[in-house]
Amino acid sequence: MPQTVVIATGNAGKVSEFNTILKDGTFSFLVSKEIGFYEEIEETAKTFKGNAEIKAKTVFEYVSSKQKDYWVMADDSGLEVEALGGRPGVFSARYAGENASGKDRYTKLLKEMEGLANRNARFVCCLCLIRPGSPPEFFEGECKGTILTEPRGNGGFGYDPVFLPKGYAKGFGEMSDEEKNSLSHRGRAIKNMLEGLNEKKN
Ligand code: IMP
C-alpha cells in the first residue's frame, strides 16, 4: 500500500512536479483541498524553512484529527537574485502582488533588472515533512543560474521562463518536466528527502 502524503499547497505547478518525480508508487499524493483544507496559510516567517514548517504544521494539525497515518509535506521555495540582495526570496509568490500571475512576476523582475550586469540567481526549496509521532524533518535543494534578459519557452511555472540554470543552454521554461526535475531545487530537495528516509529505514 502506498503511503498517503498530503501536500500542503494549492500551487498546481509544485504538485505536478511532485507527482512526476515521485511516481514509482511508494507514495500517493493528495493536495490540501482534497482533504477539505481550503484555508490560505499566512507565511509569516523570514526563511524558507520557517515558512515550510508553518504550512506543514497547520495542515498536519487538520489532517491528524481525521487520518492518523497520513504524512504531510510542505514546500517553501523561491528565487534569490544576487544583485537584488536576495530578493524576491521568501516573497517570490507575492513579489508582484497577491493575485499576480507567474508572467506578472517575471515581467516585473525583468523590469527591475534592466541594465544590471550581475544576473546571478538561485532557486531554493525547503521541504518540511511531518510523519505522525515524529518531529518535523527538513530537506533542502538549490539550483544556481542566471536571470535571462527575455523570457524563453513556456514550460514549467512561475519564474521558469526567465531562469537559465548554470552550465545549461536551455532555460527552465524550455525544458521538459523530466529535464527540469533532474536539476531543479525541488528535484534536489526531493532526492535529499528520499535518501534521508532510506537511511532511516536501514
Ligand atoms: P511559495 O513557496 O508558495 O511561497 O511560492 C514560491 C514562489 O516561488 C512560487 O509561487 C513561484 O513564483 C516561485 N517558484 C518556486 N519554485 C519555482 C520553480 O520551480 N519555478 C519557477 N518559480 C518557482
Side-chain angles (χ1 to χ4, degrees):
M1 270 284 273
Q3 170 65 49
T4 301
V5 183
V6 178
I7 309 181
T9 187
N11 182 319
K14 289 184 185 177
V15 175
S16 150
E17 291 186 6
F18 283 120
N19 274 317
T20 315
I21 303 172
L22 295 162
K23 62 181 174 200
D24 71 348
T26 314
F27 301 105
S28 130
F29 291 108
L30 291 174
V31 292
S32 341
K33 63 173 187 250
E34 288 178 291
I35 47 137
F37 184 93
Y38 292 95
E39 248 174 72
E40 259 315 305
I41 302 172
E42 253 196 273
E43 298 180 22
T44 49
K46 291 193 174 69
T47 60
F48 294 110
K49 188 176 175 189
N51 282 330
E53 185 170 20
I54 290 173
K55 290 189 267 191
K57 278 187 169 164
T58 310
V59 174
F60 186 77
E61 215 165 280
Y62 176 84
V63 170
S64 57
S65 66
K66 297 170 172 268
Q67 292 287 348
K68 294 265 172 269
D69 57 344
Y70 281 10
W71 297 7
V72 172
M73 184 170 69
D75 159 319
D76 200 65
S77 45
L79 181 66
E80 293 183 341
V81 178
E82 202 171 273
L84 304 181
R87 281 193 303 111
V90 291
F91 296 105
S92 295
R94 295 161 275 174
Y95 174 62
E98 288 300 330
N99 295 313
S101 65
K103 187 173 179 189
D104 296 333
R105 289 177 204 137
Y106 72 66
T107 305
K108 179 173 173 187
L109 180 67
L110 292 182
K111 185 106 194 96
E112 191 176 356
M113 291 187 70
E114 243 169 34
L116 291 182
N118 177 2
R119 307 198 69 90
N120 293 337
R122 65 171 193 150
F123 268 121
V124 181
C125 172
C126 180
L127 298 179
C128 176
L129 176 71
I130 306 189
R131 297 189 279 171
S134 300
E137 296 162 274
F138 297 92
F139 306 94
E140 294 186 351
E142 70 160 5
C143 181
K144 291 188 173 151
T146 47
I147 302 299
L148 295 160
T149 50
E150 286 178 0
R152 276 170 33 183
N154 42 29
F157 70 100
Y159 298 88
D160 280 347
V162 297
F163 186 79
L164 182 69
K166 193 173 174 187
Y168 291 80
K170 276 200 251 178
F172 269 1
E174 298 167 294
M175 291 183 172
S176 66
D177 292 351
E178 280 73 19
E179 280 175 300
K180 180 188 167 189
N181 292 337
S182 71
L183 64 135
S184 77
H185 49 310
R186 189 163 297 100
R188 287 177 175 152
I190 292 173
K191 192 164 168 272
N192 289 336
M193 179 182 79
L194 294 177
E195 283 169 6
L197 291 177
N198 269 333
E199 270 168 30
K200 287 200 175 154
K201 239 196 276 167
N202 297 329

